[in-house]
Amino acid sequence: MPIQDTITVHRVGALVVGAGGAGLRAALEAGRQVDTAVISEVFPTRSHTVSAQGGIGASLGNVENDNWQFHMFDTVKGSDWLGDQDAIEFMCREAPSVVIELEHLGLPFSRLEDGRIYQRAFGGHTSNFGQNEVHRSCAAADRTGHAMLHTLFEECLRQGVRFYNEFFMLELVMNQGVICGALAWDMVKGGFHLFHAKSVLFATGGYARVFRTTSNAHICSGDGVSLAMRAGIPGEDLEFLQFHPTGIYGAGNLITEGVRGEGGYLVNCSDTRFMELCAPHEKDLACRDVVSRGMAEELRGGRGCGIGQDYLLLKIDHIGADKIMERLPGIWELAMVFAGVDCTKEPIPVVPTAHYSMGGIPTNYRGEVVVPGPDGQETVVPGFYAAGEAACASVHGANRLGTNSLLDLMVFGREGGKRMAEYALANEAWPELPEEAGQAGVAEVKRLLDGRGSERLGPIMEEMRGDMERHCGVFRLEKDMIQLKEKLAKYRERYAQVSVQDKGQAYNLDLIEALELGHMLDVCEGICRGALAREESRGGHYRDDFPKRDDENWHKHTLAYLEPDGSARLDYKPVRMQPLTAETIPPAERNY
Ligand SMILES: Cc1cc2nc3c(=O)[nH]c(=O)nc-3n(C[C@H](O)[C@H](O)[C@H](O)COP(=O)(O)OP(=O)(O)OC[C@H]3O[C@@H](n4cnc5c(N)ncnc54)[C@H](O)[C@@H]3O)c2cc1C
């Protein structure tokens, strides 16, 4: 039966898209002031945040002396100097307060003997401006994200936030540069719904699923970034992807860095701790890009384990079964299910896995989406906000430190939620909807459902993800990326001929996957063009042909605009080097 293009309209003060940590924290804040609705592709507690294992970073100083300046120093350094320092300062200053707030909301943190929140060590986190390792990650065993989502979801319900679960966003609706809502597809029953809102916040998560080996959930397909790009907003720093060192071999699932924080270490086929040579000071707890490259070098050098010499080993058994079962029970289970090893006795086979998207929708530290204005100054897009992995604030710059993402979700979720509510309250009338509101989204669904195109989405998806990994992964080369650019153009042509085989409307996951493939192609274009143009190595972006950081030419953020033919056009903007306050880090220490 052909689908109806009738659109049901809902009016709401504030609309949050995405119900992971960032979306729920924003909805809780906005919901305290205005009528707030959340739409989410999956039930909120199934968002990718649920799998966060290692914890949330905050300089509580429960184990040793710590402060937000130390945290800021590590984050700026970890970002390979591409992070915006006003946003980084804001995040590190707010960190202790968002963690204490979660504790008061009932998040069941693990405890130290004296009852205070347990904190563990994590890569790149130090005290005294890089002098000593510090315990900064606040954790609820190895299920911090799980605990966070449940705590926040309950609070949102208590606050009266309305949830539209299993609604898939299709289009961001704008009228002459002003945001006025979003169009969504009801995945359960079928049908179009237009959420007419005064302010909209995107918290749709990252895009690391564009790579074949990934730690990310199926929903991490960059939907929000792509839909913002389709509305004319650039994607910022999309080429910066983080490859996490320890994905389970063959599956990609994450083994948290917390394992190395608790004393685990990596070895090659001759049982050598190669990280002692790659990073003599930080060793296995060096920044993720350093460890991933160290591992990739071992594999390239033929020092991998197994018949194919294509993985390395993560040893944890020496810390003792009791400690593993107390601090890392989820890891024990993951290793058992996905690698078939009992990590209290044997090492876990691991490879680097695509893990985190540093790039996203450009925002300032208030969670407001910003674009370059006609005079070159940054301008706020009225009514539009973004937070979490979908956004680029940019606190992680070229490389994110572990535990700083959950923190980013809480800090910018709270701030964005507060600002979007203030904006909705300040504007009495709803913005006028354009005549063609929602038509692009309706046309896309109709093309896929009613169309007769002969291409199938599965092969395109598989080939594209494999090519991204081969040509734009841990190591990048000009000739590979030129090839990738051409392949992506072909995939786009094939995608225009895709129609889905399942023609039904209820729970049509074939349709959802086809829509996601379209979004992934947009994001891949931004990643590929940005990576090809950036002739330097910085953080997660490593060019074999330009192995050094080049501050003179490349100390700037990339902006990728989507062109009508689906390709991306690049522009750049400066990194914000001015912290919010002058007294942050002593000038002598600020020499970076
Ligand atoms: C395995 C793993 C472990 C991690 N561990 C840690 C850790 O210990 N500490 C840390 O700081 N970080 C960690 N990270 C990173 C961190 O968990 C993520 O960056 C973060 O959870 C992302 O949260 P989010 O709220 O931005 O989005 P997500 O939690 O990914 O949620 C995205 C939301 O958007 C919705 N959505 C997406 N597309 C659509 C659409 N088209 N229509 C409607 N809704 C849509 C989804 O339904 C979902 O609700 C980890 C990441 C992974 C993958």
Side-chain angles (χ1 to χ4, degrees):
M1 197 174 66
I3 55 166
Q4 301 290 318
D5 46 13
T6 339
I7 302 180
T8 310
V9 180
H10 307 257
R11 268 208 167 174
V12 45
L15 174 70
V16 174
V17 186
L24 291 179
R25 187 62 195 82
L28 177 59
E29 201 62 33
R32 287 176 176 152
Q33 299 190 57
V34 288
D35 168 33
T36 301
V38 177
I39 62 176
S40 175
E41 176 182 353
V42 293
F43 192 78
T45 51
R46 298 181 66 118
S47 302
H48 186 62
T49 303
V50 76
S51 55
Q53 304 162 349
I56 173 168
S59 57
L60 296 181
N62 286 355
V63 179
E64 60 275 281
N65 185 27
D66 197 9
N67 61 43
W68 67 262
Q69 286 94 335
F70 296 160
H71 191 178
M72 176 173 179
F73 176 89
D74 294 338
T75 306
V76 172
K77 187 174 169 214
S79 80
D80 221 350
W81 290 271
L82 196 72
D84 286 343
Q85 297 192 14
D86 50 356
I88 295 178
E89 177 181 340
F90 185 74
M91 180 177 82
C92 297
R93 285 184 96 126
E94 297 285 307
S97 81
V98 292
V99 169
I100 299 301
E101 191 179 59
L102 286 170
E103 183 188 36
H104 291 180
L105 290 177
L107 194 148
F109 282 109
S110 300
R111 299 283 162 181
L112 294 166
E113 295 256 301
D114 64 7
R116 287 180 302 162
I117 293 175
Y118 168 74
Q119 295 191 280
R120 63 163 58 110
F122 243 79
H125 288 279
T126 68
S127 64
N128 262 330
F129 306 113
Q131 297 294 310
N132 313 309
E133 180 186 89
V134 75
H135 292 68
R136 188 176 284 147
S137 172
C138 311
D142 57 1
R143 302 189 181 108
T144 313
H146 177 108
M148 179 181 273
L149 282 190
H150 282 265
T151 306
L152 289 173
F153 184 44
E154 283 169 14
E155 275 308 304
C156 283
L157 290 176
R158 198 160 74 95
Q159 199 58 54
V161 172
R162 281 186 278 151
F163 281 90
Y164 294 84
N165 299 328
E166 298 178 324
F167 273 63
F168 187 87
M169 176 175 58
L170 298 166
E171 183 189 331
L172 169 65
V173 181
M174 275 174 96
N175 196 0
Q176 298 183 358
V178 177
I179 296 297
C180 30
L183 180 80
W185 170 256
D186 177 352
M187 292 166 63
V188 180
K189 297 195 216 109
F192 298 102
H193 293 256
L194 180 65
F195 292 83
H196 186 193
K198 292 180 184 170
S199 51
V200 176
L201 182 139
F202 273 15
T204 44
Y207 50 81
R209 201 166 76 90
V210 302
F211 291 86
R212 188 176 49 195
T213 306
T214 176
S215 65
N216 278 204
H218 274 255
I219 54 167
C220 302
S221 50
D223 296 349
V225 178
S226 152
L227 293 177
M229 286 171 83
R230 289 181 190 180
I233 289 153
E236 180 175 343
D237 291 340
L238 298 182
E239 67 269 33
F240 289 100
L241 253 297
Q242 178 171 83
F243 296 88
H244 193 291
T246 52
I248 295 182
Y249 172 65
N253 309 51
L254 192 78
I255 297 294
T256 172
E257 192 169 309
V259 168
R260 282 168 286 137
E262 298 285 354
Y265 57 85
L266 291 156
V267 294
N268 63 17
C269 62
S270 45
D271 217 20
T272 304
R273 281 190 70 174
F274 54 90
M275 283 314 298
E276 287 184 340
L277 304 171
C278 297
H281 187 53
E282 293 97 347
K283 298 181 188 146
D284 294 85
L285 282 178
C287 282
R288 289 176 178 175
D289 56 324
V290 176
V291 184
S292 285
R293 273 198 300 282
M295 292 172 73
E297 278 299 349
E298 291 301 298
L299 296 174
R300 284 210 293 199
R303 294 181 293 280
C305 309
I307 301 168
Q309 298 185 308
D310 50 358
Y311 61 83
L312 295 151
L313 291 171
L314 176 62
K315 274 177 72 63
I316 181 76
D317 51 310
H318 56 282
I319 75 164
D322 288 352
K323 197 163 164 198
I324 292 176
M325 296 322 271
E326 183 198 340
R327 299 277 188 229
L328 304 161
I331 291 304
W332 182 86
E333 205 174 320
L334 275 177
M336 190 49 114
V337 173
F338 290 99
V341 303
D342 175 354
C343 67
T344 61
K345 300 193 178 94
E346 306 157 87
I348 310 170
V350 288
V351 286
T353 185
H355 181 57
Y356 184 82
S357 327
M358 268 77 74
I361 304 165
T363 69
N364 58 24
Y365 74 89
R366 300 181 198 95
E368 295 163 329
V369 175
V370 287
V371 290
D375 55 356
Q377 291 295 312
E378 271 189 347
T379 330
V380 168
V381 180
F384 195 23
Y385 303 79
E389 201 172 333
C392 181
S394 127
V395 279
H396 312 300
N399 178 45
R400 172 177 74 85
L401 290 188
T403 78
N404 267 358
S405 172
L406 289 189
L407 176 60
D408 160 2
L409 310 183
M410 293 304 101
V411 170
F412 298 105
R414 178 167 82 177
E415 189 62 16
K418 184 169 147 220
R419 301 276 170 180
M420 81 184 297
E422 282 168 6
Y423 181 89
L425 287 173
N427 289 279
E428 238 172 68
W430 267 261
E432 199 178 325
L433 287 169
E435 242 170 57
E436 71 289 359
Q439 291 313 315
V442 171
E444 182 79 348
V445 170
K446 285 183 116 173
R447 174 179 81 80
L448 291 166
L449 271 186
D450 295 345
R452 299 194 185 283
S454 55
E455 287 282 354
R456 295 287 162 253
L457 76 101
I460 306 180
M461 178 87 89
E462 281 317 297
E463 288 168 40
M464 181 199 77
R465 294 176 70 211
D467 282 338
M468 286 299 290
E469 187 158 310
R470 262 188 303 281
H471 301 315
C472 209
V474 178
F475 295 110
R476 297 170 171 179
L477 260 182
E478 183 180 34
K479 70 172 176 36
D480 292 343
M481 289 186 285
I482 291 177
Q483 226 184 320
L484 178 65
K485 193 173 80 173
E486 285 156 12
K487 285 182 167 184
L488 288 174
K490 294 236 163 62
Y491 292 138
R492 284 200 301 277
E493 278 171 27
R494 284 171 65 188
Y495 181 69
Q497 300 306 319
V498 163
S499 67
V500 295
Q501 281 169 302
D502 178 354
K503 302 292 181 193
Q505 292 189 37
Y507 261 121
N508 187 341
L509 295 184
D510 212 9
L511 169 68
I512 298 301
E513 230 178 305
L515 290 162
E516 285 175 340
L517 174 59
H519 298 157
M520 287 159 93
L521 282 167
D522 294 343
V523 176
C524 286
E525 183 64 20
I527 299 174
C528 176
R529 299 268 175 160
L532 179 58
R534 190 174 277 276
E535 295 185 333
E536 66 155 355
S537 291
R538 186 187 292 272
H541 168 72
Y542 188 85
R543 290 280 302 252
D544 254 344
D545 41 359
F546 296 95
K548 293 235 159 60
R549 199 176 68 220
D550 174 359
D551 283 331
E552 205 173 308
N553 297 302
W554 289 103
H555 189 233
K556 55 189 177 187
H557 295 294
T558 308
L559 297 175
Y561 291 86
L562 210 57
E563 294 284 303
D565 68 352
S567 66
R569 171 176 61 83
L570 301 182
D571 198 357
Y572 295 91
K573 68 174 186 181
V575 176
R576 297 172 72 88
M577 296 295 282
Q578 186 64 40
L580 278 178
T581 53
E583 98 275 11
T584 49
I585 294 175
E589 305 286 352
R590 219 191 292 155
N591 194 16
Y592 42 74

